[in-house]
Structures are given as structure tokens and as C-alpha cells.
Amino acid sequence: MSKKLRNHDEVVFEQMLNPEMAKAYLDVAIEEYEQDGDIAFFLEALRNVVEAREGMTRLAEKTGLNRQNLYRVLSSEGNPELRTISLILHNLGYRLSVQPIQASLGHDDP
């Protein structure tokens, strides 16, 4: 009896169906962006969530955005406007928010 092995993308996409797992995944991607300033990882994470939960075609229909433009915006070279990110997140059931920086991160400023 052999087990079918799944590839990494299949496992990630399956996990993204859970809203809390998807939120945690996006939170980590934002933290990475805060550390290194490279937005490509966040855009890839957002694209993975979109593809797992909605699919680009359905998201394009729901948002009124062009599907090809969504692929471009969520690519590693993408440079989306804040409005576009907010619209995508909203249609996934999330919103942008501001959080205080925790003192445990080594920041002394309030």
C-alpha cells in the first residue's frame, strides 16, 4: 500500500481554505515585508490565497478588475495601489488594519 505524496503547493492551497490559516499566512508575509522591504513575498502569498479561495477569474468578476491585471499586480514584479490590495483583501473577507508595534520587537519608541 503506497501513499500518494502531495506537493508543497497542494498542501499550502488546502490550508488557505481555512480563513484563520490564510490570515496567519498573510500576517507572516507582511512581517517579512516589514523586515526586508521586499513586497514580492507578500504579493505571492496574497496570490496563493486568491488562487486557493477564489481563483483569479472569480475575483476579477467580484471586484470588477481585469483578470490579466490581477495576475500582473500579484506577480513578484507587481506594484499594486493600496486601493487594489484593500479591494482584494476585502473580497477575501479581510481588511487592512494598523497594529501597534510590540515593545518585545526591540523598539523603544512608543
Side-chain angles (χ1 to χ4, degrees), residues 3-29:
K3 269 187 165 178
K4 179 185 177 213
L5 296 177
R6 299 182 299 163
N7 71 32
H8 178 265
D9 289 344
E10 289 173 339
V11 173
V12 169
F13 279 31
E14 182 179 299
Q15 291 176 342
M16 294 308 100
L17 296 175
N18 177 319
E20 288 301 314
M21 291 293 289
K23 180 193 175 304
Y25 182 63
L26 293 172
D27 283 343
V28 168

mmCIF file of all heavy atoms in Angstrom, residues 3-29:
data_model
loop_
_atom_site.group_PDB
_atom_site.id
_atom_site.type_symbol
_atom_site.label_atom_id
_atom_site.label_comp_id
_atom_site.label_asym_id
_atom_site.label_seq_id
_atom_site.Cartn_x
_atom_site.Cartn_y
_atom_site.Cartn_z
ATOM 1 N N LYS A 3 1.297 5.505 -0.242
ATOM 2 C CA LYS A 3 0.632 6.786 -0.028
ATOM 3 C C LYS A 3 0.957 7.713 -1.180
ATOM 4 O O LYS A 3 2.083 7.738 -1.664
ATOM 5 C CB LYS A 3 1.165 7.445 1.243
ATOM 6 C CG LYS A 3 0.427 7.117 2.472
ATOM 7 C CD LYS A 3 0.983 7.985 3.593
ATOM 8 C CE LYS A 3 0.054 7.958 4.767
ATOM 9 N NZ LYS A 3 0.559 8.728 5.881
ATOM 10 N N LYS A 4 -0.044 8.463 -1.602
ATOM 11 C CA LYS A 4 0.215 9.459 -2.630
ATOM 12 C C LYS A 4 0.798 10.688 -1.943
ATOM 13 O O LYS A 4 0.204 11.243 -1.014
ATOM 14 C CB LYS A 4 -1.080 9.837 -3.349
ATOM 15 C CG LYS A 4 -0.865 10.878 -4.410
ATOM 16 C CD LYS A 4 -2.153 11.337 -5.034
ATOM 17 C CE LYS A 4 -1.795 12.422 -6.030
ATOM 18 N NZ LYS A 4 -2.794 13.415 -6.147
ATOM 19 N N LEU A 5 1.967 11.086 -2.364
ATOM 20 C CA LEU A 5 2.590 12.281 -1.817
ATOM 21 C C LEU A 5 2.049 13.510 -2.521
ATOM 22 O O LEU A 5 1.837 13.510 -3.725
ATOM 23 C CB LEU A 5 4.112 12.225 -1.985
ATOM 24 C CG LEU A 5 4.822 11.108 -1.235
ATOM 25 C CD1 LEU A 5 6.305 11.136 -1.550
ATOM 26 C CD2 LEU A 5 4.595 11.243 0.263
ATOM 27 N N ARG A 6 1.805 14.557 -1.752
ATOM 28 C CA ARG A 6 1.314 15.810 -2.320
ATOM 29 C C ARG A 6 2.465 16.804 -2.367
ATOM 30 O O ARG A 6 3.345 16.784 -1.510
ATOM 31 C CB ARG A 6 0.179 16.377 -1.465
ATOM 32 C CG ARG A 6 -1.000 15.427 -1.399
ATOM 33 C CD ARG A 6 -2.135 15.995 -0.596
ATOM 34 N NE ARG A 6 -1.726 16.242 0.775
ATOM 35 C CZ ARG A 6 -2.375 17.022 1.619
ATOM 36 N NH1 ARG A 6 -3.464 17.648 1.238
ATOM 37 N NH2 ARG A 6 -1.960 17.184 2.851
ATOM 38 N N ASN A 7 2.419 17.661 -3.357
ATOM 39 C CA ASN A 7 3.484 18.648 -3.431
ATOM 40 C C ASN A 7 3.171 19.819 -2.501
ATOM 41 O O ASN A 7 2.062 19.951 -1.976
ATOM 42 C CB ASN A 7 3.751 19.092 -4.876
ATOM 43 C CG ASN A 7 2.647 19.957 -5.449
ATOM 44 O OD1 ASN A 7 1.979 20.712 -4.757
ATOM 45 N ND2 ASN A 7 2.453 19.859 -6.751
ATOM 46 N N HIS A 8 4.140 20.659 -2.293
ATOM 47 C CA HIS A 8 4.035 21.782 -1.363
ATOM 48 C C HIS A 8 2.868 22.696 -1.703
ATOM 49 O O HIS A 8 2.111 23.112 -0.821
ATOM 50 C CB HIS A 8 5.355 22.571 -1.367
ATOM 51 C CG HIS A 8 5.338 23.764 -0.495
ATOM 52 N ND1 HIS A 8 5.049 25.023 -0.968
ATOM 53 C CD2 HIS A 8 5.536 23.892 0.838
ATOM 54 C CE1 HIS A 8 5.084 25.884 0.031
ATOM 55 N NE2 HIS A 8 5.379 25.224 1.135
ATOM 56 N N ASP A 9 2.699 23.033 -2.970
ATOM 57 C CA ASP A 9 1.618 23.932 -3.375
ATOM 58 C C ASP A 9 0.245 23.371 -3.023
ATOM 59 O O ASP A 9 -0.635 24.105 -2.574
ATOM 60 C CB ASP A 9 1.688 24.235 -4.874
ATOM 61 C CG ASP A 9 2.854 25.135 -5.232
ATOM 62 O OD1 ASP A 9 3.428 25.771 -4.320
ATOM 63 O OD2 ASP A 9 3.186 25.219 -6.422
ATOM 64 N N GLU A 10 0.061 22.082 -3.221
ATOM 65 C CA GLU A 10 -1.221 21.458 -2.883
ATOM 66 C C GLU A 10 -1.527 21.601 -1.396
ATOM 67 O O GLU A 10 -2.657 21.902 -1.006
ATOM 68 C CB GLU A 10 -1.227 19.977 -3.265
ATOM 69 C CG GLU A 10 -1.264 19.712 -4.745
ATOM 70 C CD GLU A 10 -1.095 18.229 -5.065
ATOM 71 O OE1 GLU A 10 -0.561 17.475 -4.218
ATOM 72 O OE2 GLU A 10 -1.501 17.842 -6.168
ATOM 73 N N VAL A 11 -0.520 21.386 -0.562
ATOM 74 C CA VAL A 11 -0.700 21.488 0.884
ATOM 75 C C VAL A 11 -1.007 22.934 1.282
ATOM 76 O O VAL A 11 -1.926 23.194 2.051
ATOM 77 C CB VAL A 11 0.541 20.959 1.638
ATOM 78 C CG1 VAL A 11 0.431 21.214 3.129
ATOM 79 C CG2 VAL A 11 0.732 19.469 1.362
ATOM 80 N N VAL A 12 -0.250 23.878 0.735
ATOM 81 C CA VAL A 12 -0.477 25.290 1.046
ATOM 82 C C VAL A 12 -1.877 25.700 0.604
ATOM 83 O O VAL A 12 -2.613 26.336 1.367
ATOM 84 C CB VAL A 12 0.589 26.195 0.381
ATOM 85 C CG1 VAL A 12 0.208 27.666 0.472
ATOM 86 C CG2 VAL A 12 1.954 25.962 1.017
ATOM 87 N N PHE A 13 -2.272 25.344 -0.597
ATOM 88 C CA PHE A 13 -3.587 25.724 -1.099
ATOM 89 C C PHE A 13 -4.698 25.125 -0.240
ATOM 90 O O PHE A 13 -5.689 25.778 0.039
ATOM 91 C CB PHE A 13 -3.751 25.327 -2.563
ATOM 92 C CG PHE A 13 -3.116 26.291 -3.527
ATOM 93 C CD1 PHE A 13 -1.994 27.020 -3.198
ATOM 94 C CD2 PHE A 13 -3.651 26.471 -4.776
ATOM 95 C CE1 PHE A 13 -1.415 27.909 -4.076
ATOM 96 C CE2 PHE A 13 -3.088 27.364 -5.681
ATOM 97 C CZ PHE A 13 -1.969 28.081 -5.318
ATOM 98 N N GLU A 14 -4.527 23.910 0.197
ATOM 99 C CA GLU A 14 -5.524 23.279 1.067
ATOM 100 C C GLU A 14 -5.638 24.050 2.386
ATOM 101 O O GLU A 14 -6.737 24.284 2.881
ATOM 102 C CB GLU A 14 -5.137 21.832 1.333
ATOM 103 C CG GLU A 14 -6.133 21.082 2.186
ATOM 104 C CD GLU A 14 -5.710 19.641 2.401
ATOM 105 O OE1 GLU A 14 -5.590 18.918 1.399
ATOM 106 O OE2 GLU A 14 -5.512 19.261 3.570
ATOM 107 N N GLN A 15 -4.511 24.453 2.930
ATOM 108 C CA GLN A 15 -4.521 25.207 4.185
ATOM 109 C C GLN A 15 -5.162 26.583 4.012
ATOM 110 O O GLN A 15 -5.783 27.108 4.940
ATOM 111 C CB GLN A 15 -3.106 25.347 4.738
ATOM 112 C CG GLN A 15 -2.536 24.041 5.233
ATOM 113 C CD GLN A 15 -1.100 24.166 5.681
ATOM 114 O OE1 GLN A 15 -0.401 25.121 5.345
ATOM 115 N NE2 GLN A 15 -0.634 23.188 6.443
ATOM 116 N N MET A 16 -5.045 27.171 2.844
ATOM 117 C CA MET A 16 -5.594 28.507 2.603
ATOM 118 C C MET A 16 -7.124 28.515 2.569
ATOM 119 O O MET A 16 -7.738 29.568 2.642
ATOM 120 C CB MET A 16 -5.057 29.099 1.308
ATOM 121 C CG MET A 16 -3.565 29.388 1.317
ATOM 122 S SD MET A 16 -3.005 30.372 2.704
ATOM 123 C CE MET A 16 -2.329 29.131 3.790
ATOM 124 N N LEU A 17 -7.733 27.348 2.495
ATOM 125 C CA LEU A 17 -9.188 27.270 2.547
ATOM 126 C C LEU A 17 -9.706 27.614 3.941
ATOM 127 O O LEU A 17 -10.845 28.038 4.104
ATOM 128 C CB LEU A 17 -9.670 25.882 2.126
ATOM 129 C CG LEU A 17 -9.369 25.514 0.677
ATOM 130 C CD1 LEU A 17 -9.787 24.071 0.406
ATOM 131 C CD2 LEU A 17 -10.042 26.466 -0.290
ATOM 132 N N ASN A 18 -8.862 27.454 4.937
ATOM 133 C CA ASN A 18 -9.204 27.822 6.309
ATOM 134 C C ASN A 18 -8.902 29.313 6.490
ATOM 135 O O ASN A 18 -7.748 29.731 6.365
ATOM 136 C CB ASN A 18 -8.374 26.982 7.280
ATOM 137 C CG ASN A 18 -8.608 27.336 8.724
ATOM 138 O OD1 ASN A 18 -8.715 28.505 9.093
ATOM 139 N ND2 ASN A 18 -8.665 26.320 9.553
ATOM 140 N N PRO A 19 -9.924 30.140 6.783
ATOM 141 C CA PRO A 19 -9.715 31.588 6.893
ATOM 142 C C PRO A 19 -8.648 31.990 7.917
ATOM 143 O O PRO A 19 -7.899 32.933 7.684
ATOM 144 C CB PRO A 19 -11.091 32.127 7.295
ATOM 145 C CG PRO A 19 -12.058 31.103 6.826
ATOM 146 C CD PRO A 19 -11.341 29.786 6.941
ATOM 147 N N GLU A 20 -8.562 31.279 9.032
ATOM 148 C CA GLU A 20 -7.558 31.613 10.050
ATOM 149 C C GLU A 20 -6.148 31.275 9.574
ATOM 150 O O GLU A 20 -5.199 32.006 9.856
ATOM 151 C CB GLU A 20 -7.865 30.904 11.373
ATOM 152 C CG GLU A 20 -9.065 31.497 12.089
ATOM 153 C CD GLU A 20 -8.892 32.981 12.418
ATOM 154 O OE1 GLU A 20 -7.829 33.379 12.917
ATOM 155 O OE2 GLU A 20 -9.838 33.745 12.150
ATOM 156 N N MET A 21 -6.009 30.158 8.866
ATOM 157 C CA MET A 21 -4.695 29.796 8.319
ATOM 158 C C MET A 21 -4.269 30.800 7.252
ATOM 159 O O MET A 21 -3.107 31.199 7.190
ATOM 160 C CB MET A 21 -4.730 28.384 7.731
ATOM 161 C CG MET A 21 -4.878 27.286 8.751
ATOM 162 S SD MET A 21 -3.440 27.115 9.825
ATOM 163 C CE MET A 21 -2.249 26.445 8.689
ATOM 164 N N ALA A 22 -5.222 31.217 6.421
ATOM 165 C CA ALA A 22 -4.914 32.198 5.384
ATOM 166 C C ALA A 22 -4.497 33.520 6.017
ATOM 167 O O ALA A 22 -3.544 34.162 5.579
ATOM 168 C CB ALA A 22 -6.114 32.397 4.460
ATOM 169 N N LYS A 23 -5.190 33.933 7.078
ATOM 170 C CA LYS A 23 -4.842 35.173 7.778
ATOM 171 C C LYS A 23 -3.432 35.074 8.358
ATOM 172 O O LYS A 23 -2.624 35.993 8.216
ATOM 173 C CB LYS A 23 -5.839 35.470 8.880
ATOM 174 C CG LYS A 23 -5.509 36.759 9.637
ATOM 175 C CD LYS A 23 -6.317 36.872 10.907
ATOM 176 C CE LYS A 23 -5.938 38.067 11.736
ATOM 177 N NZ LYS A 23 -4.529 38.153 12.108
ATOM 178 N N ALA A 24 -3.125 33.964 9.004
ATOM 179 C CA ALA A 24 -1.793 33.777 9.587
ATOM 180 C C ALA A 24 -0.721 33.812 8.502
ATOM 181 O O ALA A 24 0.347 34.412 8.682
ATOM 182 C CB ALA A 24 -1.735 32.459 10.360
ATOM 183 N N TYR A 25 -0.991 33.201 7.380
ATOM 184 C CA TYR A 25 -0.065 33.178 6.243
ATOM 185 C C TYR A 25 0.195 34.603 5.735
ATOM 186 O O TYR A 25 1.340 34.997 5.510
ATOM 187 C CB TYR A 25 -0.685 32.295 5.162
ATOM 188 C CG TYR A 25 0.110 32.072 3.907
ATOM 189 C CD1 TYR A 25 1.336 31.421 3.920
ATOM 190 C CD2 TYR A 25 -0.417 32.450 2.670
ATOM 191 C CE1 TYR A 25 2.029 31.178 2.746
ATOM 192 C CE2 TYR A 25 0.276 32.202 1.489
ATOM 193 C CZ TYR A 25 1.499 31.576 1.543
ATOM 194 O OH TYR A 25 2.175 31.333 0.379
ATOM 195 N N LEU A 26 -0.870 35.378 5.597
ATOM 196 C CA LEU A 26 -0.718 36.768 5.143
ATOM 197 C C LEU A 26 -0.021 37.621 6.195
ATOM 198 O O LEU A 26 0.778 38.500 5.852
ATOM 199 C CB LEU A 26 -2.080 37.362 4.767
ATOM 200 C CG LEU A 26 -2.740 36.743 3.538
ATOM 201 C CD1 LEU A 26 -4.161 37.272 3.379
ATOM 202 C CD2 LEU A 26 -1.915 36.996 2.285
ATOM 203 N N ASP A 27 -0.297 37.364 7.464
ATOM 204 C CA ASP A 27 0.391 38.094 8.542
ATOM 205 C C ASP A 27 1.895 37.870 8.482
ATOM 206 O O ASP A 27 2.687 38.806 8.616
ATOM 207 C CB ASP A 27 -0.133 37.675 9.914
ATOM 208 C CG ASP A 27 -1.479 38.287 10.263
ATOM 209 O OD1 ASP A 27 -1.884 39.280 9.617
ATOM 210 O OD2 ASP A 27 -2.137 37.768 11.196
ATOM 211 N N VAL A 28 2.306 36.625 8.278
ATOM 212 C CA VAL A 28 3.736 36.313 8.172
ATOM 213 C C VAL A 28 4.335 37.018 6.958
ATOM 214 O O VAL A 28 5.434 37.577 7.028
ATOM 215 C CB VAL A 28 3.978 34.786 8.103
ATOM 216 C CG1 VAL A 28 5.410 34.461 7.694
ATOM 217 C CG2 VAL A 28 3.627 34.142 9.437
ATOM 218 N N ALA A 29 3.603 37.026 5.864
ATOM 219 C CA ALA A 29 4.098 37.686 4.648
ATOM 220 C C ALA A 29 4.275 39.186 4.872
ATOM 221 O O ALA A 29 5.253 39.775 4.395
ATOM 222 C CB ALA A 29 3.144 37.426 3.483
#
